[in-house]
Amino acid sequence: MSRDQVQSAERTAEGPGAGAVPGSGETPFLELLATGASADAYEQPVLVARAEGQPPGRIAALEHAKLLALRVRSELEGRRRREAELSALFETAHDLAGLRDLDAVLQAIVQRARSLLGTDVAYLSLNDPERGDTYMRVTEGSVAARFQQLRLGMGEGLGGLVAQTARPYVTDDYFKDDRFQHTLAIDAGVRDEGLVAILGVPLMLGHHVIGVLYAADRRARVFGREQIALLGSFAALAAAAIDTANLLAETRAALAGLERANEIIQDRSAVIERASDVHDRLAELVLRGGGVHDVAAAVSEVLDGTVEFAEASAAPGGALQASRADGHAVRHGDDWIAAVTAGGELLGALVLHGHPGLDPVDQRTLERAAMVTSLLLLARRSAAEAEQRVRGELLDDLLDARDRDPRLLRERAARLHADLDATHVVLAARLEGAAADADQEADARRRLWAAASHLAATRHGLAAARDGGTVLLLPLGPDDTATDVARRTARQLGTAVHEPVTVGASAPLADLTARPDAVATAYAEGRRCLDALRLLGRRGDGAAAEDFGFLGLLLAGERDVAGFVDRTIGRVVAYDARRGTELLRTLDAYFACGMSPARTKDDLHVHVNTVAQRLERVGRLLGDDWQSPSRALEIQLALRLHRLSAPERR
């Protein structure tokens, strides 16, 4: 009690003679109430009055005033406490209304509960439905790490009792209370924290307990009803905060889901537009007669990648077979492979390069493009087969139907871009690979005919299957010889069918419609050249009659004597005609004299130097190898044929 308060009490205790106002026993207690004195201070005025021997009536009045003052003091303290509690609840509700961070709101609730209840520790636990237990969410005033990390099984500890009954529970001494299940882990955590008295109230959402809010002291304590109710109010606000946070999270998740759905819808819409675009483009390509590479280019633009058509032999084998079996595009590294099939036949593949992440709709676009590609390939094959048949029928007519109208033949050839008035070569081609059985041999012949038909189409010629092989009628270029055409054809056909192909060519044939049997005769000549190549062991090669020297006279269909003479000694004949020399006569005498210059000069009655000069001139005209055995034989035969044909030319 302060000095002023004691003096005031003394003045009051004095009688009326000391200046006190009668009946003013309440005065010192009013001053104590005004100054907020402690409860002990209210005993001092009564003690002073007794010490001074005040009358009993006066002391009784002071006792009555003291009791009234203490009652007023208690009421004022209760009002101040309720005001603080209401202020804290209001602030918590305000935090909840502007909920942004659930952890911050829960932390504030626990802090205010600890402050208003005046406890050492306050904490909040929440149920974990996935793990089937309870964990510490927020602690305030805790110093033990093990306590802060506690996980409680359902029904364990004081919290388990609160959760089971959905009612508040309080214990004055935790370790002596046997109303709830004790466990080693929980008791160890509580012991580390040093807790004794604990109050727990449930966090309710509807009829379900979602957690427990606790207030605890490290000494024995009795929690009153007002404190239990206050903590329950905080628990209700915490539950509301959690419920609001869950609703916000669900709302955000729903909004995010709607945004994702909207993005997916937009993506699908864009993909569908792309699919529609590629469908329109592919339909346009088919209608205007586009090719496989046009399809690949269109799909490349739509899929924003590089799409190529690959032959079956060039595509990755495993991925190609998987796509063929599954009927869908298959990923291969960073590429996608879509098999191009028709029935059971594998025609190739569409390969999308460098596009590992492919949308399912884009994948179907690639598969649809592969199907269109197969239709184009089949259509092209059907057209090619039809053209091959037409070309074969025309060549068959040239070989067999000798009474056909030349004009009609030319018109038919013109529709196939072939010119029958140009110089042509007739070629006979045959495979040299050994077939295991009749089916394999028939397949090899079909492949040879297909390759020959393709070659004839690209060269503006004709092709037909005949006599176990193939016959071709190809135009002769300005710088080509029959031999050049034969060798080139053998090489190209062999590459196409992956087997050796032997080709025999006829002599060049001009104006082939002028004579009914010209093509048939030329074909027979090509067949003889083909047989000669095979007899000579030159399988897989190509040659014409002119390549066989004098044997060419035996192979040639029309025995082209003048052509043989011109090819062999034509330059010498022309030189004599221009210069008036006697090189032919000297050559004839030289061979007749056993290729002896000395005997030749006697036969010609000239000087040996003259013979040498003439033979040197012959060498410059015919080449340095003119005296080799094979060339000498051909030159002698040509000299004799020239001599025999000379009277006819005169």
Side-chain angles (χ1 to χ4, degrees):
M1 185 175 181
S2 68
R3 183 177 179 181
D4 293 338
Q5 290 172 338
V6 172
Q7 291 175 351
S8 175
E10 289 175 348
R11 289 194 301 270
T12 304
E14 295 177 352
V21 179
S24 61
E26 297 88 351
T27 302
F29 298 107
L30 291 175
E31 291 180 358
L32 291 175
L33 288 171
T35 58
S38 64
D40 295 338
Y42 287 81
E43 294 291 339
Q44 292 300 322
V46 178
L47 293 175
V48 170
R50 286 176 178 171
E52 293 179 349
Q54 294 286 334
R58 177 64 177 169
I59 292 174
L62 288 174
E63 286 283 357
H64 180 68
K66 181 192 71 172
L67 293 175
L68 291 175
L70 287 174
R71 188 182 302 170
V72 171
R73 179 181 180 277
S74 177
E75 184 68 24
L76 290 175
E77 286 183 348
R79 288 177 182 275
R80 283 195 296 269
R81 186 174 60 252
R82 284 192 292 274
E83 181 182 354
E85 292 171 355
L86 289 174
S87 178
L89 291 174
F90 176 78
E91 291 175 358
T92 303
H94 182 270
D95 293 341
L96 180 58
L99 180 64
R100 293 294 182 270
D101 184 351
L102 176 62
D103 288 334
V105 173
L106 294 179
Q107 188 71 46
I109 289 174
V110 173
Q111 287 175 350
R112 289 165 185 156
R114 180 193 176 203
S115 175
L116 290 175
L117 270 69
T119 58
D120 296 323
V121 181
Y123 52 99
L124 185 148
S125 66
L126 292 179
N127 296 344
D128 187 345
E130 293 184 359
R131 296 183 56 171
D133 61 4
T134 301
Y135 66 97
M136 291 289 188
R137 177 66 182 268
V138 180
T139 63
E140 179 66 22
S142 172
V143 295
R146 177 156 45 172
F147 180 79
Q148 296 169 11
Q149 298 170 2
L150 272 180
R151 296 191 75 95
L152 290 69
M154 293 296 185
E156 297 176 352
L158 178 66
L161 184 61
V162 173
Q164 284 180 341
T165 61
R167 294 171 57 189
Y169 269 87
V170 62
T171 177
D172 300 337
D173 191 333
Y174 176 85
F175 291 101
K176 294 180 180 180
D177 197 332
D178 58 0
R179 290 177 300 166
F180 47 83
Q181 179 183 354
H182 289 264
T183 67
L184 292 176
I186 299 174
D187 288 355
V190 173
R191 188 174 291 108
D192 285 354
E193 194 63 54
L195 300 180
V196 177
I198 303 176
L199 166 62
V201 295
L203 274 67
M204 304 290 296
L205 281 182
H207 299 290
H208 301 286
V209 178
I210 63 170
V212 178
L213 178 60
Y214 301 87
D217 258 340
R218 295 188 174 94
R219 64 185 182 279
R221 172 176 176 173
V222 176
F223 290 94
R225 291 183 178 180
E226 292 181 354
Q227 293 172 323
I228 295 173
L230 176 61
L231 192 62
S233 298
F234 279 116
L237 291 174
I242 293 171
D243 188 34
T244 302
N246 290 337
L247 291 175
L248 286 174
E250 292 175 0
T251 302
R252 292 189 184 105
L255 289 174
L258 289 175
E259 289 178 358
R260 287 194 298 272
N262 185 49
E263 291 175 358
I264 292 172
I265 290 172
Q266 290 179 350
D267 290 342
R268 289 293 181 271
S269 177
V271 169
I272 292 172
E273 288 180 3
R274 291 201 305 273
S276 176
D277 180 38
V278 76
H279 178 271
D280 293 342
R281 293 191 184 191
L282 294 178
E284 182 184 358
L285 283 174
V286 172
L287 292 175
R288 65 181 175 85
V292 172
H293 297 292
D294 296 324
V295 172
V299 178
S300 297
E301 185 175 348
V302 172
L303 298 183
D304 192 23
T306 302
V307 179
E308 294 179 345
F309 174 76
E311 298 291 342
S313 59
L320 181 60
Q321 292 301 326
S323 176
R324 179 185 185 183
D326 189 44
H328 297 289
V330 174
R331 182 175 173 180
H332 179 71
D334 289 340
D335 302 337
W336 285 83
I337 311 296
V340 178
T341 60
E345 184 179 2
L346 184 61
L347 304 177
L350 283 185
V351 182
L352 173 60
H353 294 289
H355 210 309
L358 192 62
D359 185 276
V361 178
D362 287 342
Q363 182 179 340
R364 288 193 291 274
T365 297
L366 182 63
E367 294 163 0
R368 187 179 295 110
M371 182 175 62
V372 173
T373 301
S374 67
L375 293 176
L376 288 177
L377 289 174
L378 286 177
R380 188 173 69 181
R381 175 189 291 180
S382 299
E385 290 176 351
E387 182 178 344
Q388 289 170 2
R389 286 193 297 272
V390 173
R391 290 180 183 275
E393 291 170 357
L394 177 57
L395 184 53
D396 284 336
D397 287 344
L398 289 171
L399 288 168
D400 301 329
R402 302 179 182 179
D403 56 347
R404 290 295 180 94
D405 185 348
R407 180 180 59 82
L408 295 178
L409 293 175
R410 289 191 182 91
E411 290 178 357
R412 290 171 58 188
R415 286 194 291 270
L416 298 172
H417 306 289
D419 182 9
L420 297 185
D421 292 327
T423 301
H424 287 74
V425 175
V426 179
L427 304 108
R430 180 168 296 178
L431 284 168
E432 297 298 343
D437 51 38
D439 292 338
Q440 200 174 68
E441 182 179 1
D443 180 65
R445 288 179 178 178
R446 282 193 296 270
R447 288 189 288 111
L448 176 61
W449 174 70
S453 298
H454 176 72
L455 178 62
T458 58
R459 294 286 306 278
H460 304 293
L462 305 175
R466 182 168 285 244
D467 300 327
T470 302
V471 55
L472 298 94
L473 179 69
L474 299 180
L476 188 66
D479 298 325
D480 281 339
T481 64
T483 301
D484 295 335
V485 176
R487 289 177 177 171
R488 185 166 57 244
T489 302
R491 184 172 59 254
Q492 292 173 338
L493 293 180
T495 301
V497 300
H498 306 292
E499 290 185 34
V501 177
T502 306
V503 177
S506 70
L509 183 63
D511 195 15
L512 53 84
T513 59
R515 290 178 291 118
D517 59 348
V519 178
T521 302
Y523 172 59
E525 181 180 339
R527 285 283 307 278
R528 286 193 292 271
C529 287
L530 171 63
D531 293 339
L533 285 171
R534 301 180 74 189
L535 288 172
L536 294 172
R538 292 172 57 184
R539 297 173 184 268
D541 198 0
E546 63 189 34
D547 299 315
F548 294 95
F550 74 91
L551 289 176
L553 291 176
L554 303 177
L555 299 173
E558 297 184 349
R559 304 292 190 268
D560 185 14
V561 174
F564 173 73
V565 172
D566 184 65
R567 289 192 299 271
T568 307
I569 60 173
R571 300 187 66 183
V572 177
V573 174
Y575 189 88
D576 277 351
R578 287 196 312 271
R579 302 293 183 89
T581 56
E582 293 185 337
L583 296 182
L584 283 176
R585 181 166 172 258
T586 302
L587 267 176
D588 202 9
Y590 178 69
F591 284 118
C593 294
M595 302 177 70
S596 169
R599 293 169 57 189
T600 301
K601 61 98 175 171
D602 293 335
D603 187 63
L604 296 176
H605 304 290
V606 296
H607 195 274
V608 69
N609 290 340
T610 303
V611 174
Q613 291 172 0
R614 291 178 180 177
L615 294 178
E616 182 180 359
R617 175 64 64 182
V618 169
R620 286 199 294 270
L621 293 172
L622 300 183
D624 294 338
D625 64 338
W626 70 275
Q627 296 190 68
S628 64
S630 59
R631 288 292 306 280
L633 178 60
E634 292 182 1
I635 291 171
Q636 291 179 67
L637 180 59
L639 287 170
R640 177 162 297 188
L641 291 172
H642 177 69
R643 188 166 56 251
L644 292 173
S645 62
E648 297 178 8
R649 291 188 303 181
R650 289 196 299 266

